[in-house]
């Protein structure tokens, strides 16, 4: 574990960078709420996760998160040098790698969720296959 004292020189600069990045992220997250609600409504109404909708949400989160990491690390790197700059760059690279790994793993979630819901609620049927022609999930 790195020595936390190495980052003491980042103090105020780091706090300001994080606050600015958080404000941008908050605006982006607000913009993505409609997409998340649509996916949530489909989950509760149709008992399924739409892979394309999910992938779109993951892309938005990925882009926003990578931009946040870049903005914070750029701000911090602009005001540091030596070991602190080196450590900041390594942390930014590791943060990008962790985000990529987690989001790649999350791409498996819709298939698992849909399989689980199929076993719980029965296989999904298209409206044309349903006797009443209704949208949503039977069962």
């Amino acid at each position: 574990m790195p020595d936390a004292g190495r980052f003491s020189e980042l103090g105020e600069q780091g706090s300001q960078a994080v606050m600015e990045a958080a404000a941008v992220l908050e605006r982006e997250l607000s913009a993505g709420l409609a997409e998340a609600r649509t996916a949530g409504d489909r989950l509760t109404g149709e008992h399924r996760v739409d892979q394309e909708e999910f992938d779109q949400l993951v892309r938005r989160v990925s882009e926003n998160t990578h931009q946040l990491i870049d903005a914070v690390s750029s701000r911090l790197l602009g005001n540091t040098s030596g070991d602190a700059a080196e450590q900041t760059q390594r942390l930014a690279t590791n943060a990008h790698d962790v985000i990529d790994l987690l989001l790649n793993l999350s791409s498996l979630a819709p298939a698992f969720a849909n399989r689980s819901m199929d076993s719980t609620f029965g296989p999904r049927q298209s409206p044309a296959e349903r006797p009443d022609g209704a949208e949503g999930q039977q069962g």
Side-chain angles (χ1 to χ4, degrees):
M1 186 66 130
D3 177 16
R6 290 174 148 179
F7 292 101
S8 61
E9 67 189 70
L10 300 177
E12 186 63 35
Q13 302 157 17
S15 295
Q16 183 62 32
V18 169
M19 293 300 289
E20 291 170 7
V24 171
L25 181 61
E26 183 177 6
R27 286 193 302 272
E28 286 297 318
L29 289 174
S30 294
L33 283 178
E35 292 174 6
R37 282 189 193 108
T38 299
D41 290 346
R42 185 175 319 284
L43 179 63
T44 57
E46 298 177 23
H47 300 149
R48 72 181 184 92
V49 177
D50 183 274
Q51 184 73 49
E52 192 173 312
E53 281 177 344
F54 188 85
D55 289 345
Q56 187 175 350
L57 284 169
V58 167
R59 276 191 300 278
R60 179 185 284 276
V61 168
S62 176
E63 289 169 9
N64 291 339
T65 306
H66 284 298
Q67 288 174 7
L68 174 66
I69 293 166
D70 287 342
V72 170
S73 65
S74 175
R75 181 74 184 262
L76 293 175
L77 286 168
N79 296 311
T80 60
S81 61
D83 286 345
E86 228 177 89
Q87 187 68 26
T88 299
Q89 187 59 55
R90 276 196 301 272
L91 287 171
T93 299
N94 290 342
H96 282 295
D97 291 345
V98 167
I99 293 301
D100 288 339
L101 173 64
L102 292 174
L103 293 177
N104 286 339
L105 286 173
S106 78
S107 69
L108 301 173
F112 288 127
N114 287 334
R115 227 176 278 132
S116 175
M117 286 185 276
D118 283 351
S119 69
T120 302
F121 298 106
R124 293 182 305 279
Q125 296 175 334
S126 71
E129 295 173 319
R130 296 187 193 127
D132 62 1
E135 294 285 334
Q137 175 66 38
Q138 288 283 322

